[in-house]
PDB file of all heavy atoms in Angstrom:
ATOM      1  N   TYR N  44      16.026 -82.548  -2.535  1.00 69.00           N
ATOM      2  CA  TYR N  44      15.422 -83.833  -2.820  1.00 69.00           C
ATOM      3  C   TYR N  44      16.081 -84.644  -3.887  1.00 69.00           C
ATOM      4  O   TYR N  44      16.195 -85.950  -3.836  1.00 69.00           O
ATOM      5  CB  TYR N  44      13.864 -83.738  -3.083  1.00 69.00           C
ATOM      6  CG  TYR N  44      13.060 -83.917  -1.845  1.00 69.00           C
ATOM      7  CD1 TYR N  44      12.810 -82.820  -1.003  1.00 69.00           C
ATOM      8  CD2 TYR N  44      12.472 -85.092  -1.504  1.00 69.00           C
ATOM      9  CE1 TYR N  44      11.987 -82.883   0.130  1.00 69.00           C
ATOM     10  CE2 TYR N  44      11.759 -85.177  -0.350  1.00 69.00           C
ATOM     11  CZ  TYR N  44      11.420 -84.106   0.422  1.00 69.00           C
ATOM     12  OH  TYR N  44      10.657 -84.333   1.621  1.00 69.00           O
ATOM     13  N   ALA N 107       9.049 -91.784 -15.567  1.00 72.00           N
ATOM     14  CA  ALA N 107      10.280 -92.140 -15.984  1.00 72.00           C
ATOM     15  C   ALA N 107      11.007 -93.198 -15.195  1.00 72.00           C
ATOM     16  O   ALA N 107      11.796 -94.054 -15.670  1.00 72.00           O
ATOM     17  CB  ALA N 107      11.142 -90.933 -16.232  1.00 72.00           C
ATOM     18  N   ILE N 180     -12.428 -82.140   0.520  1.00 82.00           N
ATOM     19  CA  ILE N 180     -13.200 -82.042   1.753  1.00 82.00           C
ATOM     20  C   ILE N 180     -12.594 -81.013   2.697  1.00 82.00           C
ATOM     21  O   ILE N 180     -13.386 -80.161   3.123  1.00 82.00           O
ATOM     22  CB  ILE N 180     -13.388 -83.488   2.447  1.00 82.00           C
ATOM     23  CG1 ILE N 180     -14.205 -84.520   1.616  1.00 82.00           C
ATOM     24  CG2 ILE N 180     -13.955 -83.208   3.877  1.00 82.00           C
ATOM     25  CD1 ILE N 180     -14.137 -85.844   2.096  1.00 82.00           C
ATOM     26  N   GLU N 360     -47.581   2.870  45.340  1.00 87.00           N
ATOM     27  CA  GLU N 360     -46.409   3.545  45.947  1.00 87.00           C
ATOM     28  C   GLU N 360     -46.201   4.923  45.547  1.00 87.00           C
ATOM     29  O   GLU N 360     -46.558   5.158  44.353  1.00 87.00           O
ATOM     30  CB  GLU N 360     -45.121   2.578  45.689  1.00 87.00           C
ATOM     31  CG  GLU N 360     -43.972   2.980  46.495  1.00 87.00           C
ATOM     32  CD  GLU N 360     -42.728   2.113  46.184  1.00 87.00           C
ATOM     33  OE1 GLU N 360     -42.857   1.128  45.264  1.00 87.00           O
ATOM     34  OE2 GLU N 360     -41.652   2.320  46.670  1.00 87.00           O
ATOM     35  N   VAL N 424     -47.648  21.871  38.386  1.00 85.00           N
ATOM     36  CA  VAL N 424     -46.973  20.632  38.075  1.00 85.00           C
ATOM     37  C   VAL N 424     -47.201  20.208  36.627  1.00 85.00           C
ATOM     38  O   VAL N 424     -48.248  20.465  36.160  1.00 85.00           O
ATOM     39  CB  VAL N 424     -47.275  19.534  39.004  1.00 85.00           C
ATOM     40  CG1 VAL N 424     -46.893  19.775  40.407  1.00 85.00           C
ATOM     41  CG2 VAL N 424     -48.810  19.110  38.971  1.00 85.00           C
ATOM     42  N   ASP N 650      19.997  58.257  14.880  1.00 89.00           N
ATOM     43  CA  ASP N 650      19.769  59.692  15.067  1.00 89.00           C
ATOM     44  C   ASP N 650      18.850  60.215  14.024  1.00 89.00           C
ATOM     45  O   ASP N 650      18.618  61.378  14.049  1.00 89.00           O
ATOM     46  CB  ASP N 650      21.112  60.360  15.008  1.00 89.00           C
ATOM     47  CG  ASP N 650      22.137  60.041  16.156  1.00 89.00           C
ATOM     48  OD1 ASP N 650      21.439  59.499  17.032  1.00 89.00           O
ATOM     49  OD2 ASP N 650      23.283  60.088  16.002  1.00 89.00           O
ATOM     50  N   ILE N 743      57.116  28.756 -62.268  1.00 70.00           N
ATOM     51  CA  ILE N 743      57.572  27.402 -62.672  1.00 70.00           C
ATOM     52  C   ILE N 743      56.597  26.758 -63.618  1.00 70.00           C
ATOM     53  O   ILE N 743      57.180  26.232 -64.660  1.00 70.00           O
ATOM     54  CB  ILE N 743      57.801  26.546 -61.432  1.00 70.00           C
ATOM     55  CG1 ILE N 743      58.938  27.152 -60.603  1.00 70.00           C
ATOM     56  CG2 ILE N 743      58.171  25.120 -61.920  1.00 70.00           C
ATOM     57  CD1 ILE N 743      59.138  26.317 -59.237  1.00 70.00           C
ATOM     58  N   ASP N 866      10.720  42.805 -45.378  1.00 84.00           N
ATOM     59  CA  ASP N 866      11.584  43.000 -44.228  1.00 84.00           C
ATOM     60  C   ASP N 866      13.037  43.094 -44.569  1.00 84.00           C
ATOM     61  O   ASP N 866      13.868  43.014 -43.643  1.00 84.00           O
ATOM     62  CB  ASP N 866      11.301  41.775 -43.292  1.00 84.00           C
ATOM     63  CG  ASP N 866      11.553  40.362 -43.999  1.00 84.00           C
ATOM     64  OD1 ASP N 866      11.630  40.422 -45.328  1.00 84.00           O
ATOM     65  OD2 ASP N 866      11.645  39.410 -43.267  1.00 84.00           O
ATOM     66  N   GLY N 897      36.049  13.048 -42.078  1.00 42.00           N
ATOM     67  CA  GLY N 897      36.970  11.918 -41.935  1.00 42.00           C
ATOM     68  C   GLY N 897      38.064  11.961 -43.081  1.00 42.00           C
ATOM     69  O   GLY N 897      38.250  12.776 -44.014  1.00 42.00           O
TER      70      GLY N 897
END
Side-chain angles (χ1 to χ4, degrees):
Y44 265 84
I180 293 171
E360 186 180 0
V424 295
D650 293 341
I743 293 172
D866 55 348

